[in-house]
Amino acid sequence: MLKEGFENSLSIPIYLGYSDKSKDQQHLRSICQTMQEEGMNSIGILPLYMTQGHIYTRAMEIIRSYDFTLTEYPTLLSDIESVSSAIPYWIDYQPDTYYLLVAHNSTQQNQVLFDQLQEKINKDNIKIVVLDHNTDFQTWCPDTDYPIEIIPFMMVNGHHVEKDLKMELLPLFKSKGYRVQLQSIGLPSRKAFRDWMVQHVKGQGENNV
């Protein structure tokens, strides 16, 4: 859906590549080869990651091994000011609902960025919490009478959504008497997020992405 949104709005070819596992790395190489065969010399890289973690680094190593002139767009949390302003729009914010935005953390640096984002949002009923290897869901129970929406603050709704949120966090909250729902979709599945991303890229200059 994000791919179609960019193509319709920017009128340029869009390619989606993956680099998490060995098979995904091969897929990314295949995309680079296709772009070369189609005569593309200058391409833009839009990372669909929150921060520049190890997966992003691995992807860029693969892309740089090809003879492209690159324009690199920043990762999402490189622009905390814009993201903090956009989050209420992405989640269809209502003042009488408590929003628990669940992110995934791989480094201490990422945690610092999420803390900065939380401070910038500056709303008592929007809380960012971060999954890591030592997550204690009991500490996530908010002091609120509002209905709770658990929202994956992630690009894909993978095993963290299915296992950690759907099978562990959601039953825990229900057992404690909260009125709670899980929105089990990643950010790109939200039209408001896709529209924002398109405008965000337009604002920084267009290229082949």
Coordinates of all heavy atoms in Angstrom, one line a residue, residues 39-101:
G39 N 18.4 0.8 -16.3 CA 19.2 2.0 -16.7 C 19.1 3.1 -15.6 O 19.4 4.3 -15.9
M40 N 18.8 2.8 -14.4 CA 18.7 3.8 -13.3 C 20.1 4.0 -12.7 O 20.7 3.1 -12.3 CB 17.7 3.4 -12.2 CG 16.3 3.3 -12.7 SD 15.1 2.9 -11.4 CE 13.6 2.8 -12.4
N41 N 20.5 5.2 -12.7 CA 21.8 5.6 -12.2 C 21.7 6.3 -10.8 O 22.6 6.2 -10.0 CB 22.6 6.4 -13.2 CG 22.8 5.7 -14.5 OD1 23.3 4.6 -14.5 ND2 22.6 6.4 -15.6
S42 N 20.6 7.1 -10.7 CA 20.5 7.9 -9.5 C 19.2 7.4 -8.7 O 18.1 7.4 -9.3 CB 20.3 9.4 -9.8 OG 20.1 10.1 -8.7
I43 N 19.4 7.0 -7.5 CA 18.2 6.5 -6.7 C 18.2 7.1 -5.4 O 19.2 7.6 -4.8 CB 18.2 4.9 -6.6 CG1 19.4 4.5 -5.8 CG2 18.2 4.3 -8.0 CD1 19.4 3.0 -5.4
G44 N 17.0 7.2 -4.8 CA 16.8 7.6 -3.4 C 16.5 6.5 -2.5 O 15.8 5.5 -2.9
I45 N 17.0 6.5 -1.3 CA 16.8 5.4 -0.4 C 15.9 6.0 0.8 O 16.4 6.9 1.5 CB 18.1 4.9 0.2 CG1 19.1 4.5 -0.9 CG2 17.9 3.7 1.2 CD1 18.5 3.4 -1.8
L46 N 14.7 5.4 0.9 CA 13.8 5.8 2.0 C 13.8 4.7 3.0 O 13.1 3.7 2.7 CB 12.5 6.2 1.5 CG 11.4 6.5 2.6 CD1 11.8 7.8 3.3 CD2 10.0 6.6 2.0
P47 N 14.5 4.7 4.1 CA 14.5 3.6 5.1 C 13.2 3.5 5.9 O 12.8 4.5 6.5 CB 15.7 4.0 6.0 CG 15.8 5.4 5.9 CD 15.3 5.9 4.6
L48 N 12.5 2.4 5.8 CA 11.3 2.2 6.5 C 11.7 1.6 7.9 O 11.2 0.5 8.2 CB 10.3 1.3 5.8 CG 9.8 1.9 4.5 CD1 8.8 1.0 3.8 CD2 9.1 3.3 4.7
Y49 N 12.5 2.3 8.6 CA 12.9 1.9 9.9 C 12.8 3.1 10.8 O 12.9 4.2 10.4 CB 14.4 1.4 9.9 CG 14.7 0.3 8.9 CD1 15.5 0.6 7.8 CD2 14.3 -1.0 9.1 CE1 15.8 -0.4 6.9 CE2 14.6 -2.0 8.2 CZ 15.3 -1.7 7.1 OH 15.6 -2.7 6.2
M50 N 12.6 2.8 12.1 CA 12.6 3.9 13.1 C 13.9 4.6 13.2 O 14.0 5.8 13.3 CB 12.1 3.4 14.5 CG 10.7 2.9 14.5 SD 9.5 4.2 14.2 CE 8.0 3.2 14.2
T51 N 15.0 3.8 13.3 CA 16.4 4.3 13.5 C 17.3 3.6 12.6 O 17.0 2.6 12.0 CB 16.8 4.2 15.0 OG1 16.8 2.8 15.3 CG2 15.8 4.9 15.9
Q52 N 18.6 4.0 12.6 CA 19.6 3.4 11.8 C 20.2 2.2 12.6 O 21.3 2.3 13.1 CB 20.7 4.4 11.4 CG 20.2 5.4 10.4 CD 21.3 6.2 9.8 OE1 22.5 6.0 10.1 NE2 21.0 7.3 9.1
G53 N 19.5 1.1 12.7 CA 20.0 -0.1 13.4 C 20.8 -1.0 12.5 O 21.2 -0.6 11.4
H54 N 21.0 -2.2 12.9 CA 21.9 -3.1 12.2 C 21.3 -3.6 10.9 O 22.0 -3.8 9.9 CB 22.2 -4.3 13.1 CG 21.1 -5.2 13.4 ND1 20.1 -5.0 14.4 CD2 20.7 -6.4 12.8 CE1 19.2 -5.9 14.4 NE2 19.5 -6.8 13.5
I55 N 19.9 -3.7 10.8 CA 19.3 -4.1 9.6 C 19.5 -3.0 8.5 O 19.8 -3.3 7.3 CB 17.8 -4.4 9.8 CG1 17.6 -5.6 10.8 CG2 17.1 -4.7 8.5 CD1 16.2 -5.8 11.1
Y56 N 19.3 -1.8 8.9 CA 19.5 -0.6 8.0 C 20.9 -0.6 7.5 O 21.2 -0.4 6.3 CB 19.1 0.7 8.7 CG 19.5 1.9 7.9 CD1 18.6 2.4 6.9 CD2 20.7 2.6 8.1 CE1 19.0 3.5 6.1 CE2 21.0 3.8 7.4 CZ 20.1 4.2 6.4 OH 20.4 5.3 5.7
T57 N 21.9 -0.8 8.4 CA 23.3 -0.8 8.0 C 23.6 -1.9 7.0 O 24.3 -1.7 6.0 CB 24.2 -1.0 9.3 OG1 23.9 0.1 10.2 CG2 25.6 -1.0 8.9
R58 N 23.0 -3.1 7.3 CA 23.3 -4.2 6.4 C 22.7 -3.9 5.0 O 23.3 -4.2 4.0 CB 22.7 -5.5 6.9 CG 23.0 -6.7 6.2 CD 22.8 -8.0 7.1 NE 21.4 -8.0 7.6 CZ 21.1 -8.3 8.8 NH1 22.1 -8.6 9.7 NH2 19.9 -8.4 9.2
A59 N 21.5 -3.3 5.0 CA 20.8 -3.0 3.7 C 21.7 -2.0 2.9 O 21.9 -2.1 1.7 CB 19.4 -2.4 3.9
M60 N 22.2 -1.0 3.6 CA 23.0 0.0 2.9 C 24.3 -0.5 2.4 O 24.8 -0.1 1.3 CB 23.3 1.2 3.8 CG 22.0 2.1 4.1 SD 21.1 2.6 2.6 CE 22.3 3.5 1.7
E61 N 24.9 -1.5 3.1 CA 26.1 -2.1 2.6 C 25.8 -2.8 1.2 O 26.7 -2.8 0.3 CB 26.6 -3.1 3.6 CG 27.2 -2.5 4.8 CD 27.6 -3.5 5.9 OE1 27.2 -4.7 5.7 OE2 28.2 -3.1 6.9
I62 N 24.7 -3.5 1.1 CA 24.3 -4.1 -0.1 C 24.1 -3.1 -1.2 O 24.6 -3.3 -2.3 CB 23.0 -5.0 0.1 CG1 23.3 -6.2 1.1 CG2 22.5 -5.5 -1.2 CD1 22.1 -6.9 1.5
I63 N 23.4 -2.1 -1.0 CA 23.0 -1.1 -2.0 C 24.3 -0.4 -2.5 O 24.5 -0.1 -3.7 CB 22.0 -0.1 -1.4 CG1 20.7 -0.8 -1.2 CG2 21.8 1.1 -2.4 CD1 19.7 0.1 -0.4
R64 N 25.2 -0.1 -1.5 CA 26.4 0.7 -1.9 C 27.4 -0.2 -2.7 O 28.3 0.3 -3.3 CB 27.1 1.2 -0.7 CG 26.4 2.3 0.0 CD 27.3 3.0 1.1 NE 26.6 4.1 1.8 CZ 26.0 4.0 3.0 NH1 26.2 2.8 3.6 NH2 25.4 5.0 3.5
S65 N 27.2 -1.5 -2.7 CA 28.0 -2.4 -3.6 C 27.7 -2.3 -5.0 O 28.4 -2.8 -5.9 CB 27.9 -3.8 -3.1 OG 26.6 -4.4 -3.4
Y66 N 26.6 -1.5 -5.4 CA 26.2 -1.3 -6.8 C 26.6 0.2 -7.1 O 26.8 1.0 -6.3 CB 24.7 -1.5 -6.9 CG 24.3 -3.0 -6.8 CD1 24.1 -3.5 -5.5 CD2 24.2 -3.8 -7.9 CE1 23.8 -4.9 -5.4 CE2 23.8 -5.1 -7.8 CZ 23.6 -5.7 -6.5 OH 23.3 -7.0 -6.3
D67 N 26.7 0.4 -8.4 CA 27.2 1.7 -8.9 C 26.0 2.6 -9.1 O 25.6 3.0 -10.2 CB 27.9 1.5 -10.2 CG 28.6 2.7 -10.7 OD1 28.9 3.6 -9.8 OD2 28.9 2.9 -11.9
F68 N 25.4 3.1 -8.0 CA 24.4 4.1 -8.0 C 24.9 5.4 -7.4 O 25.7 5.4 -6.5 CB 23.1 3.6 -7.2 CG 22.4 2.4 -7.8 CD1 22.3 1.3 -7.0 CD2 21.9 2.5 -9.1 CE1 21.6 0.2 -7.5 CE2 21.2 1.4 -9.6 CZ 21.1 0.2 -8.8
T69 N 24.3 6.5 -7.9 CA 24.4 7.8 -7.1 C 23.2 7.8 -6.2 O 22.1 7.7 -6.6 CB 24.3 9.0 -8.1 OG1 25.4 8.9 -9.0 CG2 24.4 10.3 -7.3
L70 N 23.5 7.9 -4.9 CA 22.5 7.7 -3.8 C 22.1 9.0 -3.2 O 22.9 9.9 -2.9 CB 23.0 6.8 -2.7 CG 23.4 5.4 -3.2 CD1 23.9 4.6 -2.0 CD2 22.2 4.6 -3.9
T71 N 20.8 9.2 -3.0 CA 20.2 10.2 -2.1 C 19.6 9.4 -0.9 O 18.7 8.6 -1.1 CB 19.2 11.0 -2.8 OG1 19.8 11.7 -3.9 CG2 18.6 12.1 -1.8
E72 N 20.1 9.6 0.3 CA 19.6 8.9 1.5 C 18.6 9.8 2.3 O 19.0 10.9 2.7 CB 20.7 8.5 2.3 CG 21.6 7.4 1.7 CD 22.7 6.9 2.6 OE1 22.4 6.6 3.8 OE2 23.9 6.9 2.2
Y73 N 17.4 9.4 2.4 CA 16.5 10.1 3.3 C 16.6 9.6 4.7 O 17.1 8.5 5.0 CB 15.0 9.8 2.8 CG 14.7 10.4 1.4 CD1 14.9 9.6 0.3 CD2 14.3 11.7 1.2 CE1 14.6 10.1 -1.0 CE2 14.1 12.2 0.0 CZ 14.2 11.4 -1.1 OH 14.0 11.9 -2.4
P74 N 16.3 10.4 5.7 CA 16.5 10.1 7.1 C 15.5 9.0 7.5 O 14.4 8.9 7.0 CB 16.3 11.4 7.8 CG 15.4 12.2 6.9 CD 15.8 11.8 5.5
T75 N 15.9 8.3 8.6 CA 15.0 7.4 9.2 C 14.0 8.2 10.0 O 14.1 9.4 10.2 CB 15.8 6.5 10.2 OG1 16.5 7.3 11.1 CG2 16.7 5.5 9.5
L76 N 12.9 7.5 10.4 CA 11.7 8.2 10.9 C 12.1 9.0 12.2 O 11.7 10.2 12.3 CB 10.7 7.1 11.3 CG 9.2 7.6 11.4 CD1 8.8 8.2 10.0 CD2 8.3 6.5 11.8
L77 N 12.8 8.5 13.1 CA 13.1 9.2 14.3 C 14.3 10.2 14.2 O 14.7 10.8 15.2 CB 13.4 8.2 15.5 CG 12.2 7.4 15.9 CD1 12.5 6.7 17.2 CD2 10.9 8.2 16.1
S78 N 14.7 10.4 13.0 CA 15.7 11.5 12.7 C 15.0 12.8 12.7 O 15.6 13.9 12.8 CB 16.4 11.3 11.4 OG 17.1 10.1 11.4
D79 N 13.6 12.8 12.7 CA 12.9 14.1 12.6 C 11.8 14.0 13.7 O 10.6 13.9 13.4 CB 12.2 14.3 11.3 CG 11.6 15.6 11.1 OD1 11.6 16.4 12.1 OD2 11.1 15.9 10.0
I80 N 12.2 14.0 15.0 CA 11.3 13.8 16.1 C 10.2 14.9 16.1 O 9.1 14.7 16.5 CB 12.1 13.7 17.4 CG1 12.8 12.4 17.5 CG2 11.2 13.9 18.6 CD1 13.7 12.2 18.7
E81 N 10.6 16.1 15.8 CA 9.7 17.2 15.8 C 8.5 16.9 14.9 O 7.3 17.1 15.3 CB 10.4 18.5 15.4 CG 9.6 19.8 15.6 CD 9.5 20.2 17.1 OE1 10.6 20.1 17.7 OE2 8.4 20.6 17.5
S82 N 8.7 16.5 13.7 CA 7.6 16.3 12.7 C 6.8 15.0 13.1 O 5.6 15.0 13.1 CB 8.2 16.1 11.3 OG 8.8 17.2 10.8
V83 N 7.5 14.0 13.6 CA 6.9 12.7 14.0 C 6.0 13.0 15.2 O 4.8 12.5 15.2 CB 7.9 11.6 14.2 CG1 7.2 10.4 14.8 CG2 8.6 11.2 12.9
S84 N 6.4 13.7 16.1 CA 5.6 13.9 17.3 C 4.3 14.7 17.0 O 3.3 14.5 17.6 CB 6.4 14.7 18.4 OG 6.8 16.0 17.9
S85 N 4.4 15.6 16.1 CA 3.2 16.4 15.6 C 2.3 15.5 14.8 O 1.1 15.7 14.8 CB 3.7 17.6 14.8 OG 4.5 18.4 15.5
A86 N 2.8 14.5 14.1 CA 2.0 13.7 13.2 C 1.3 12.5 13.9 O 0.3 12.0 13.4 CB 2.9 13.2 12.1
I87 N 1.9 12.0 15.0 CA 1.4 10.8 15.7 C -0.1 10.9 16.0 O -0.9 10.0 15.7 CB 2.2 10.5 16.9 CG1 3.5 9.8 16.5 CG2 1.4 9.6 17.8 CD1 4.4 9.5 17.6
P88 N -0.6 12.0 16.5 CA -2.1 12.1 16.8 C -2.9 11.9 15.5 O -4.0 11.3 15.5 CB -2.3 13.5 17.4 CG -1.0 13.8 18.0 CD 0.1 13.2 17.1
Y89 N -2.4 12.4 14.4 CA -3.1 12.3 13.1 C -3.0 10.8 12.6 O -4.0 10.3 12.2 CB -2.4 13.2 12.1 CG -2.8 13.0 10.6 CD1 -4.0 13.2 10.2 CD2 -1.8 12.5 9.7 CE1 -4.4 13.0 8.8 CE2 -2.1 12.4 8.4 CZ -3.4 12.6 8.0 OH -3.7 12.4 6.6
W90 N -1.9 10.2 12.8 CA -1.8 8.8 12.4 C -2.8 7.9 13.1 O -3.3 6.9 12.6 CB -0.4 8.2 12.7 CG 0.7 8.9 11.9 CD1 0.6 9.7 10.8 CD2 2.1 8.8 12.2 NE1 1.8 10.2 10.4 CE2 2.8 9.6 11.2 CE3 2.9 8.1 13.1 CZ2 4.2 9.7 11.2 CZ3 4.3 8.2 13.0 CH2 4.9 9.0 12.1
I91 N -2.9 8.1 14.4 CA -3.7 7.2 15.3 C -5.2 7.6 15.4 O -5.9 7.0 16.2 CB -3.1 7.0 16.6 CG1 -3.1 8.3 17.4 CG2 -1.7 6.4 16.5 CD1 -2.5 8.2 18.9
D92 N -5.6 8.7 14.7 CA -6.9 9.2 14.8 C -7.2 9.6 16.3 O -8.2 9.1 16.9 CB -8.0 8.2 14.3 CG -9.4 8.9 14.1 OD1 -9.5 10.1 14.1 OD2 -10.3 8.1 14.1
Y93 N -6.4 10.4 16.8 CA -6.4 10.7 18.3 C -7.8 11.2 18.8 O -8.4 12.1 18.1 CB -5.4 11.8 18.5 CG -5.4 12.3 20.0 CD1 -4.7 11.6 21.0 CD2 -6.0 13.5 20.3 CE1 -4.7 12.1 22.3 CE2 -6.0 14.0 21.6 CZ -5.3 13.3 22.6 OH -5.3 13.8 23.8
Q94 N -8.2 10.7 19.9 CA -9.4 11.2 20.6 C -9.0 11.5 22.1 O -8.3 10.6 22.7 CB -10.5 10.1 20.6 CG -10.9 9.7 19.2 CD -11.6 10.8 18.4 OE1 -12.3 11.6 19.0 NE2 -11.3 10.8 17.1
P95 N -9.4 12.6 22.6 CA -8.9 12.9 24.0 C -9.4 12.0 25.1 O -8.9 12.0 26.2 CB -9.5 14.4 24.1 CG -10.6 14.5 23.2 CD -10.3 13.6 22.0
D96 N -10.5 11.2 24.8 CA -11.0 10.4 25.9 C -10.6 8.9 25.7 O -11.3 8.0 26.1 CB -12.5 10.5 26.0 CG -13.2 10.2 24.6 OD1 -12.5 10.0 23.6 OD2 -14.5 10.1 24.6
T97 N -9.5 8.7 25.0 CA -8.9 7.3 24.8 C -7.4 7.4 25.2 O -6.8 8.4 25.1 CB -9.0 6.9 23.4 OG1 -10.4 6.9 23.0 CG2 -8.4 5.5 23.1
Y98 N -7.0 6.3 25.9 CA -5.6 6.1 26.2 C -4.9 5.3 25.2 O -5.3 4.2 24.9 CB -5.5 5.5 27.6 CG -4.1 5.5 28.2 CD1 -3.7 6.4 29.1 CD2 -3.1 4.5 27.8 CE1 -2.4 6.5 29.6 CE2 -1.8 4.5 28.3 CZ -1.5 5.5 29.3 OH -0.2 5.5 29.8
Y99 N -3.8 5.8 24.6 CA -3.1 5.2 23.5 C -1.8 4.6 24.0 O -0.9 5.4 24.5 CB -2.9 6.1 22.3 CG -4.2 6.6 21.7 CD1 -4.7 7.8 22.2 CD2 -4.8 5.9 20.7 CE1 -5.9 8.3 21.6 CE2 -6.0 6.3 20.2 CZ -6.6 7.5 20.6 OH -7.7 8.0 20.1
L100 N -1.6 3.3 23.9 CA -0.3 2.7 24.2 C 0.4 2.3 23.0 O 0.0 1.4 22.3 CB -0.6 1.5 25.1 CG 0.6 0.9 25.9 CD1 1.1 1.9 27.0 CD2 0.3 -0.5 26.5
L101 N 1.4 3.1 22.6 CA 2.2 2.8 21.4 C 3.4 2.0 21.7 O 4.2 2.3 22.5 CB 2.7 4.2 20.8 CG 1.7 4.9 19.9 CD1 0.4 5.2 20.6 CD2 2.3 6.2 19.4

